[in-house]
Each structure stands twice: as structure tokens, then as C-alpha cells.
Amino acid sequence: THFYKIMLNDYPEVRSLFNQAHQQQGTQARALANAILRYARCIDNLGALGNLPAQIIQKHVALQILPEHYPIVGTCLLRAIREVLGAEVATDA
């Protein structure tokens, strides 16, 4: 939820790309958190992700996510992780 607060506050132009009902219900935040956790758990064996990458790609294509949106997400996601976990845990390394 912290990620979405940062991103939607700092980049209101991407708000229309997100289902606001899912934002209010927390389903979008849970889906993102679960995907990140799954990627982290499979970092040494990405094949174990199964069809998760394909599902994410399909969703992004359907929503017409553009290449210029990804740096926004990356910046906000890394900031949120650092703010939630702490700078000593979420280092640049």
C-alpha cells in the first residue's frame, strides 16, 4: 500500500491505469506484494515462477502499459521497499 501511495501521489498521471476499486479494497497491493515475494523466493530459479511472468505481461499489455511507465514503478517500488524495510536492510546492493 505504501508503494501505491507514493506512486499515485508523485505521479498522478498513472492513476487512470489502476482500478480504483482494487486500490480501495487492497487487492492490487496484495497482488503486487505476493508477486514480489514470489520473485524473491525464486530469484535463483526463475523457472519456478511458472506462468506468473506471462500473467503479468498479459495484464500490462491489456492495460496498455508503456515503456515510460516502468521507470516510474521502479523508482517508487524501490523507495517504498527502502522506507518499509529500512535503509540498512534494503541497500543498493
Side-chain angles (χ1 to χ4, degrees), residues 32-70:
L32 176 62
N34 286 329
I36 291 169
L37 179 59
R38 193 161 163 202
Y39 268 91
R41 287 182 173 158
C42 297
I43 196 71
D44 293 323
N45 180 15
L46 294 178
L49 289 170
N51 66 345
L52 178 62
Q55 289 173 336
I56 293 170
I57 291 166
Q58 184 178 39
K59 184 72 168 181
H60 285 183
V61 169
L63 293 171
Q64 298 179 321
I65 304 301
L66 301 173
E68 57 264 28
H69 295 134
Y70 289 96

Side-chain angles (χ1 to χ4, degrees), residues 5-24:
K5 287 177 189 173
I6 291 169
M7 186 177 62
L8 298 177
N9 181 60
D10 292 358
Y11 301 92
E13 66 270 21
V14 301
R15 183 178 301 275
S16 64
L17 299 172
F18 295 91
N19 182 311
Q20 294 308 301
H22 292 168
Q23 288 295 310
Q24 292 174 349

Side-chain angles (χ1 to χ4, degrees), residues 3 6 11 70-80:
F3 160 74
I6 291 169
Y11 301 92
Y70 289 96
I72 293 170
V73 172
T75 298
C76 295
L77 185 58
L78 292 174
R79 177 178 158 196

